[in-house]
Structure formats: C-alpha cells, structure tokens
Amino acid sequence: MKKHLLLLSLVYCTITVFGQTPALPNGNFESWTSSFWDYPQNYSSNSNINNFYYYHLPANVTKTTDAYHGTYAVQIETISVGTDTSFGYFLNGNPNGAPSTWTGGIPYNQAPTGIRGYFKYNVATADSATIIVAFSKVGVNIGTYLIPIGGIHNSYTLFNYAFTPALTQTPDSVMFGAISCKVSDTQQQPHGFPGSTLIIDSISFTGVSSQPALMNGDFESWQTQVNNSPNDWYTQFGGSSVSNVNQSTDAKAGLYAIELTTLLGSDQNGTPRASAARISTGYYPNNCNGGCNEMGGYPFANQIDTLEFWYKYAPSGNDSAKVYLAFKQNGVSFQGTGPDLHAASSYTHMQIPFSLWQVPDSVMIEIVSSAWNDTLVSFVGSDLIIDEMHFKSQPLTTGILNYKNENTITIFPNPSNGTFQLQGLGFNIRQVEIFNTLGEKIYSTYNNQAIYNIDISHSPKGIYFVKTYNGEKFQTEKIILR
C-alpha cells in the first residue's frame, strides 16, 4: 500500500551567496523521537509505524478494554492527516500487491468454510470496515475474501461470513487482518472517512476442528514495539512491517549515527525485490501515484559550497548507496548532484562540492541504502551508516565535535563490570556524564580532576557512552558493561 507523507512548509529566503542560511537540521543525527506502542501479538504489520514515521501522529491500532470476551479487544481508526486520511489496519503478514496475490501469514493446514467474530462500528453509510482473509499454498494464493462490515453498532454485533466461493484446496498458510475503511482488490490506496472506528474481538474460523496456533483471535496477547525516528528528516523504508532506518550507536562523533539497511520487499504485483531504506529532507505529496516531484526541503541560498559527511557501507554484492542533493527555486528543482557510495569498512570522509548556475532558495538531501535501480534480491542486506553531515559553510547545529585522531581519554577496564577508572592524559576532566543507548543520563559528576573512579555497576549490562568535558570541548567514548 502506498505510504503518505505529511506536508512540510517551504520557507522562502533570498540571501546572497554564502549568506547566513540555517544549518542542516540534525545533520549529526543526535536528535531522535522515540515512540512506544502495543500491537496484537503476531500482527507486526500495522498502521502504527506509518503514523509514526510519515505522519508524526499517535497509533491508530490500539488495545482496548472494551472487550466482548476476556480482557482486551483491538481497535482501529481512520484519522485525519491534513486534507488526507490515515486508515488503521493490522495484518499477520506482508501486504504487498493486490489482496488477491497475498501469500504467507501464519501456518494453517485446514480449509475453513467461513469466519465469525464480534464487532462495533460507528458509520452507517458511505464507509465500511473490511475484514481480509487470504489463503495460500506453496507460495501461491488460493483464495482471498474481503468482508465489509459497517453501519452504526454501538454494542457488539456478530458477523458470520461464509467463504464464497469455497476453498477448493487445503492451504498451508493464512493471512488475516482488518482495515478501518472500505477496500477492494483493485484499490491500492483506500482512504476512508476520519473518525471511522472498528473494534473487533473473538475472531475464529468456522467448519474446522481447530484454529491456527498463532491466530490470537481473542486479542488477549499483545507486544510492545519501540521505534526511533531522526528529527527533521522524512523516513521511507519500502513498506516493510519493520523500520530499516535505525538509530546506531556506531557513531563517528557524539552518541548516535543513522543506519539504513536494504530489506526484502516486493512490488505492487507481489514480486520479491530489494527495498532500500531512505531518508530525505523532502517528501512526496499525499496520494502520489508515480511520476511525482519531491516537495519540501529546507532554506538554502549558497551557489557554491560542499556537503560533507562520514560514512560506512557494507554492500551486498555489487550494490551501491547514494547521497543526492536537489536544489530548488520557487518550488522547482533546477540542478542536482550526488555520488554513489561504495564499500567502506571504517568511517570514510566524503565531500560533495557543487557550483550552481543560479541561487537556490532550498535544497533537498536524500540518502538511500541502495540505488533505486538496485532491486535484485541479492542486494538485500546492504547496510549504510552516516554521521556528521553538514555544509562546509555551516556548523553542525548541536555543536558535536568530531573525535580527535589521538585518544586523550582512557577507560580501564573496558569492558567492565560497572566499576572502572577514567583518566585524562595530561589534563583535568572537569565533568563526566554517562548515557545509556536511549540517550538517558544515568550518571553525572563535576570534580575537575585527572582521574575518576566510577561505579555504575547497578546499571544493566550493555553499551554506555561516557562524555567528558574539558572546558568547552568534550569527547565521547563507549564502555561495555558485562
């Protein structure tokens, strides 16, 4: 299904060459937003991840105690996104292509005659929610059923649907899920009406002796999902149920870098393909059906400058990553540039110089883990890490300093059981702060001395970051507790 993006305001600013344009926001990837939500166990493909990355909105697949039976039911809702909508959905498989092509899901080797369950819904006309069931065998779809349920039902109502036509084969897997709006087999971008809310519970197949072991049709079992999104960047990860754009602690400087990984996806026909991870300072318009120009960017007015950054890249096969700059004037792109990135096992410095034929008012920067034409399955797994991205004319916004080549701080022992010694080589360390991988400060001291004996043995095992200050300068090192 096509993912939509929020509109970003384009701020117009006319400044002479090398004027005081704002620095690239969050170019060192130190600023992140974290989100936590629950989703029904075994239904990791859901609209919550879309809302978080594309819309910056709350989850619309939620756990409710308004249950027909037991403690919990699942609620899905269509919500407003500007002039568009974000429909709620959850599935126990990967919904690529038209529903009639869906395969996979969870194992099941019986041939049910129908499906039943209980629901509440709040729209009488114009819209309806949709239950979707897709059976497959040996990777081939053998039957998909789209079941509309709608109307105003403020109390739980039974639906009992017979599969027509009946299955002619016994499947080996089934994909089950629900969408808060109306959908058809040919409709790739359902929209729905804001406020349409479906609550369902106690789902089961009929005409069989047992239910799929992983069905979780009573929705009593839930999982928590944690995602981190880089602030000031738009994120696209090819429709996977998990993000392949992640916060990395393998940083060149500071606490974090950004990591983009190419995962296995599929095209709209369900054909497997490599799905590149992508971040950009721009976005594509809502309901873009192809051939669209990327919108947005951020204010930039330098005709001559250089974008520079540090990167690591572990390609699969002969894959290549890419960083691309598109310069715009009055909303129209007039010039672009960007090299391919090739294998680099350690941090490598990259510079992209440019000299433009006219003054821009904005620039879009796009980073992808695989080139757009690199769709072979053999490219799955290509992994790109980038840090400290900025224009030479502009400082990094958070003031994170690059590491010096020489190590001026020693930590011993490292790894540690939580008690260790921190020493400045030839100078006093004014302040020490220690952070966990979530960026939470767990320790701080200000003693202005050369040697610190530190005890954080009460903290869980894992990776921590030790930030030491010497006047206005600081340095960050990693320590492993085990």
Side-chain angles (χ1 to χ4, degrees):
M1 296 180 181
K2 182 71 178 178
K3 306 301 189 295
H4 312 315
L5 300 175
L6 275 178
L7 292 178
L8 176 68
S9 297
L10 179 62
V11 181
Y12 182 78
C13 181
T14 303
I15 304 178
T16 58
V17 176
F18 283 105
Q20 295 300 311
T21 56
L24 174 63
N26 197 23
N28 50 21
F29 304 106
E30 293 298 301
S31 179
W32 294 74
T33 296
S34 297
S35 181
F36 305 79
W37 61 76
D38 291 335
Y39 65 91
Q41 187 170 351
N42 306 322
Y43 293 88
S44 60
S45 180
N46 59 72
S47 53
N48 290 346
I49 197 168
N50 302 334
N51 283 352
F52 176 59
Y53 280 106
Y54 301 127
Y55 301 127
H56 310 294
L57 293 175
N60 61 351
V61 177
T62 55
K63 177 168 55 177
T64 176
T65 56
D66 182 10
Y68 174 79
H69 176 75
T71 304
Y72 304 117
V74 60
Q75 175 176 301
I76 55 178
E77 181 181 6
T78 301
I79 57 179
S80 297
V81 182
T83 58
D84 200 6
T85 58
S86 173
F87 55 88
Y89 75 90
F90 66 94
L91 291 158
N92 56 15
N94 189 16
N96 285 291
S100 61
T101 68
W102 291 359
T103 60
I106 58 176
Y108 194 46
N109 60 1
Q110 296 194 42
T113 59
I115 189 171
R116 71 191 302 272
Y118 291 85
F119 76 100
K120 292 183 177 182
Y121 197 63
N122 66 344
V123 176
T125 60
D127 201 6
S128 63
T130 308
I131 301 293
I132 300 181
V133 186
F135 295 97
S136 57
K137 185 172 185 176
V138 196
V140 177
N141 182 285
I142 60 172
T144 294
Y145 303 93
L146 303 178
I147 307 162
I149 52 175
I152 295 178
H153 296 275
N154 295 319
S155 59
Y156 272 106
T157 303
L158 173 69
F159 75 87
N160 195 347
Y161 179 85
F163 293 145
T164 305
L167 289 172
T168 59
Q169 304 178 58
T170 299
D172 58 24
S173 59
V174 61
M175 190 186 303
F176 165 78
I179 300 175
S180 61
C181 63
K182 187 181 300 183
V183 65
S184 69
D185 188 59
T186 59
Q187 186 180 18
Q188 293 295 318
Q189 298 183 49
H191 305 301
F193 293 82
S196 297
T197 302
L198 171 71
I199 301 175
I200 58 174
D201 200 4
S202 299
I203 303 296
S204 60
F205 291 120
T206 57
V208 290
S209 59
S210 64
Q211 302 299 314
L214 302 178
M215 185 73 167
N216 188 25
D218 57 4
F219 305 111
E220 293 300 297
S221 298
W222 291 72
Q223 294 177 253
T224 299
Q225 184 161 347
V226 181
N227 284 95
N228 297 297
S229 176
N231 293 339
D232 302 303
W233 292 84
Y234 289 102
T235 304
Q236 179 177 320
F237 46 92
S240 171
S241 60
V242 296
S243 171
N244 53 1
V245 174
N246 293 296
Q247 183 185 72
S248 173
T249 57
D250 183 7
K252 173 63 181 175
L255 299 179
Y256 305 117
I258 192 163
E259 183 171 17
L260 297 86
T261 306
T262 300
L263 297 182
L264 180 64
S266 62
D267 61 20
Q268 291 191 346
N269 296 319
T271 303
R273 54 162 289 173
S275 180
R278 171 187 173 273
I279 64 170
S280 176
T281 58
Y283 65 95
Y284 286 99
N286 293 346
N287 304 323
C288 176
N289 291 305
C292 296
N293 293 320
E294 194 172 10
M295 308 292 288
Y298 84 99
F300 187 81
N302 293 349
Q303 280 184 266
I304 302 173
D305 210 330
T306 299
L307 181 74
E308 57 182 337
F309 55 91
W310 295 80
Y311 81 96
K312 291 182 177 182
Y313 189 49
S316 292
N318 62 347
D319 199 6
S320 59
K322 195 172 187 68
V323 171
Y324 185 78
L325 294 88
F327 299 93
K328 301 170 69 176
Q329 178 61 255
N330 294 327
V332 178
S333 296
F334 66 85
Q335 191 170 338
T337 184
D340 290 339
L341 303 180
H342 302 289
S345 58
S346 59
Y347 268 112
T348 300
H349 188 225
M350 172 64 71
Q351 299 188 76
I352 307 177
F354 54 86
S355 178
L356 309 178
W357 65 271
Q358 70 172 359
V359 177
D361 61 24
S362 58
V363 61
M364 293 184 300
I365 302 173
E366 182 174 79
I367 308 171
V368 290
S369 59
S370 296
W372 288 118
N373 58 335
D374 291 351
T375 59
L376 297 178
V377 173
S378 60
F379 295 139
V380 171
S382 293
D383 189 77
L384 173 67
I385 300 176
I386 283 185
D387 201 8
E388 297 294 274
M389 177 174 282
H390 64 285
F391 291 100
K392 276 193 172 182
S393 62
Q394 302 172 340
L396 288 167
T397 55
T398 59
I400 296 293
L401 302 178
N402 286 340
Y403 288 127
K404 294 182 178 180
N405 290 331
E406 69 275 12
N407 185 17
T408 58
I409 299 292
T410 63
I411 298 176
F412 182 83
N414 190 7
S416 165
N417 63 1
T419 58
F420 56 92
Q421 188 177 89
L422 183 66
Q423 181 175 0
L425 300 182
F427 62 90
N428 282 356
I429 302 170
R430 293 190 179 183
Q431 184 178 1
V432 178
E433 295 177 332
I434 301 178
F435 301 83
N436 61 21
T437 55
L438 295 177
E440 299 166 336
K441 186 188 298 184
I442 67 162
Y443 179 93
S444 180
T445 184
Y446 188 96
N447 288 324
N448 193 28
Q449 59 193 39
I451 299 176
Y452 288 78
N453 292 307
I454 294 175
D455 184 356
I456 56 170
S457 56
H458 61 283
S459 301
K461 297 178 181 179
I463 297 175
Y464 292 84
F465 301 93
V466 181
K467 190 173 183 179
T468 57
Y469 293 84
N470 177 27
E472 295 181 354
K473 298 181 180 180
F474 62 84
Q475 182 172 334
T476 305
E477 301 287 345
K478 297 177 185 178
I479 186 167
I480 300 173
L481 269 57
R482 65 184 185 189

